[in-house]
Amino acid sequence: MTFPRSVFREDHEMLRDTIRRFLERECKPRQAQWDQEGRVDRETWLKAGREGLLCTTLDPEWGGAGGDFGHAAVIVEEIARSGVSGLGFGLHSDVVAPYIARLGTPEQKQKWLPRCATGEVMLAIAMSEPGAGSDLKAIRTTALREGNEYVINGAKTFISNGLNCDLVIVVAKTEPELGAKGVSLILVEADRPGFRKGRKLDKMGQEAADTAELFFDEVRVPVSNVLGEENKGFAYLMQELAQERLVIALGAAAKMEAMLAETVRYTKERVVFGKPLFDFQNTRFKLAEIKVRTTAVRMMVDQYLSEHLKRKLTVEEAAIAKLFSTEELSKALDELLQLYGGYGYMMEYPITRAYVDTRVYRIYGGTSEVMKELIARKL
């Protein structure tokens, strides 16, 4: 970058070195296999757990390293920079596990979190439904109480880690007549009778990400599986979604930097009409424009990361970070890919994989349109 980053400490950078080595050694050589199989193998998760790369912010009491969000951030950044596709580490460690760590009872934490940190248990969260994506108030899945049990019925879709998951947080209506005020978060083990994992969804990118449909047909779980208080689920989601959106912004910023650097290298090597592509004024001007936008994204995301490390990041600020970074990434990748000509349409090039893998950044975690609505409410 054009200025030194001050948001990270030495211990953060030490972890950065560890995750870089892990990605080179354990992930890149397996990417083709993961793409073919449509999921990341469990042994890679277990190796990540052994190296302390999962659930880095968990308290040591629950099996974590006791780190802060800076440790999580360097892992998110390095996965984005590496071009490794389909890893569900960020969702598992920085989106789902925090719900259990913050809302779980001591018994729930002891039962699940140590095995989440080792990679023995993979986590997912089931929010989106066939008829309710970003509009969580419109969900139709129910968890109705019968004695000491909840009986869950419904269907979820676009669930990341859906095929691999051992435990899923299900967003369901425990009192449907109350609308958003009747939503609860329920822990559902993957081996519960009536819980079925559907097909792996055929996506335009991230082939190794095991995104799936989930079905609940009279699934019975004990009332003790509720996370936090009954009917408080919508409020809990709003509190935790800010971090999820910052995670996406961090990945977008790192991917933008990596693809700019890769394209500068490519244009200096690629010869067109007898001279390097970089020597054409149009190329240099286009790269310069993207450099400016990449720097702006980095400065914004680092500032919001700094705020989040102090636990001061608001829902509105997280929406700003996600909206700006993902929209700029999408525009930059389109312009960078154009500089590759026909090669930019070939999946063997990092720019092409980045183009298809990151298009979803403007959709998951809340669409760009939802981010604009959240921002507009505070104007």
Side-chain angles (χ1 to χ4, degrees), residues 127-128 133-139 171 173 183 234 237-238 241:
M127 298 190 211
S128 297
S134 296
D135 183 9
L136 295 176
K137 295 178 184 178
I139 63 169
V171 180
K173 286 186 174 175
V183 172
F234 192 78
L237 290 169
M238 294 304 101
L241 279 170

Side-chain angles (χ1 to χ4, degrees), residues 134-206:
S134 296
D135 183 9
L136 295 176
K137 295 178 184 178
I139 63 169
R140 301 177 65 182
T141 297
T142 58
L144 303 181
R145 187 162 178 170
E146 291 186 6
N148 292 323
E149 294 181 317
Y150 290 112
V151 182
I152 304 173
N153 285 283
K156 298 290 185 176
T157 194
F158 310 140
I159 308 306
S160 300
N161 290 352
L163 295 181
N164 274 336
C165 69
D166 303 291
L167 181 71
V168 57
I169 298 176
V170 178
V171 180
K173 286 186 174 175
T174 39
E175 292 194 48
E177 66 278 7
L178 297 180
K181 294 182 179 179
V183 172
S184 299
L185 307 183
I186 312 290
L187 292 169
V188 178
E189 302 89 341
D191 58 359
R192 288 277 175 184
F195 175 39
R196 180 168 60 88
K197 299 175 181 180
R199 65 190 176 96
K200 177 188 178 297
L201 299 176
D202 188 16
K203 309 180 296 298
M204 70 178 285
Q206 297 193 24

Side-chain angles (χ1 to χ4, degrees), residues 84-310:
V84 171
S85 176
L87 280 178
F89 293 177
L91 175 77
H92 170 91
S93 300
D94 310 319
V95 177
V96 189
Y99 282 99
I100 302 175
R102 189 168 74 86
L103 303 172
T105 64
E107 292 76 19
Q108 289 170 336
K109 293 177 183 180
Q110 188 59 57
K111 181 178 182 180
W112 296 110
L113 291 180
R115 290 187 291 157
C116 293
T118 61
E120 296 171 84
V121 167
M122 298 187 199
L123 298 172
I125 186 166
M127 298 190 211
S128 297
E129 298 184 2
S134 296
D135 183 9
L136 295 176
K137 295 178 184 178
I139 63 169
R140 301 177 65 182
T141 297
T142 58
L144 303 181
R145 187 162 178 170
E146 291 186 6
N148 292 323
E149 294 181 317
Y150 290 112
V151 182
I152 304 173
N153 285 283
K156 298 290 185 176
T157 194
F158 310 140
I159 308 306
S160 300
N161 290 352
L163 295 181
N164 274 336
C165 69
D166 303 291
L167 181 71
V168 57
I169 298 176
V170 178
V171 180
K173 286 186 174 175
T174 39
E175 292 194 48
E177 66 278 7
L178 297 180
K181 294 182 179 179
V183 172
S184 299
L185 307 183
I186 312 290
L187 292 169
V188 178
E189 302 89 341
D191 58 359
R192 288 277 175 184
F195 175 39
R196 180 168 60 88
K197 299 175 181 180
R199 65 190 176 96
K200 177 188 178 297
L201 299 176
D202 188 16
K203 309 180 296 298
M204 70 178 285
Q206 297 193 24
E207 293 179 31
D210 59 318
T211 310
E213 300 170 315
L214 302 180
F215 300 96
F216 305 86
D217 183 13
E218 297 289 306
V219 178
R220 291 180 174 270
V221 301
V223 170
S224 59
N225 275 28
V226 70
L227 261 184
E229 295 182 43
E230 188 179 83
N231 296 333
K232 295 289 184 66
F234 192 78
Y236 296 147
L237 290 169
M238 294 304 101
Q239 292 165 6
E240 296 296 337
L241 279 170
Q243 178 162 299
E244 178 178 355
R245 288 159 183 164
L246 180 60
V247 166
I248 297 169
L250 285 163
K255 182 67 75 176
M256 204 168 169
E257 291 169 341
M259 289 302 99
L260 174 59
E262 176 70 17
T263 305
V264 169
R265 182 198 61 77
Y266 174 82
T267 57
K268 289 181 177 180
E269 295 176 355
R270 172 73 169 153
V271 175
V272 179
F273 298 118
K275 62 180 181 179
L277 183 59
F278 185 84
D279 288 351
F280 290 88
Q281 186 183 66
N282 177 71
T283 303
R284 297 197 308 276
F285 279 14
K286 181 57 65 178
L287 291 173
E289 291 170 2
I290 296 173
K291 171 67 173 180
V292 170
R293 285 150 46 195
T294 301
T295 302
V297 167
R298 167 54 63 207
M299 293 179 71
M300 169 185 278
V301 172
D302 272 10
Q303 179 61 37
Y304 284 139
L305 172 58
S306 178
E307 289 299 296
H308 191 51
L309 286 169
K310 294 179 285 189

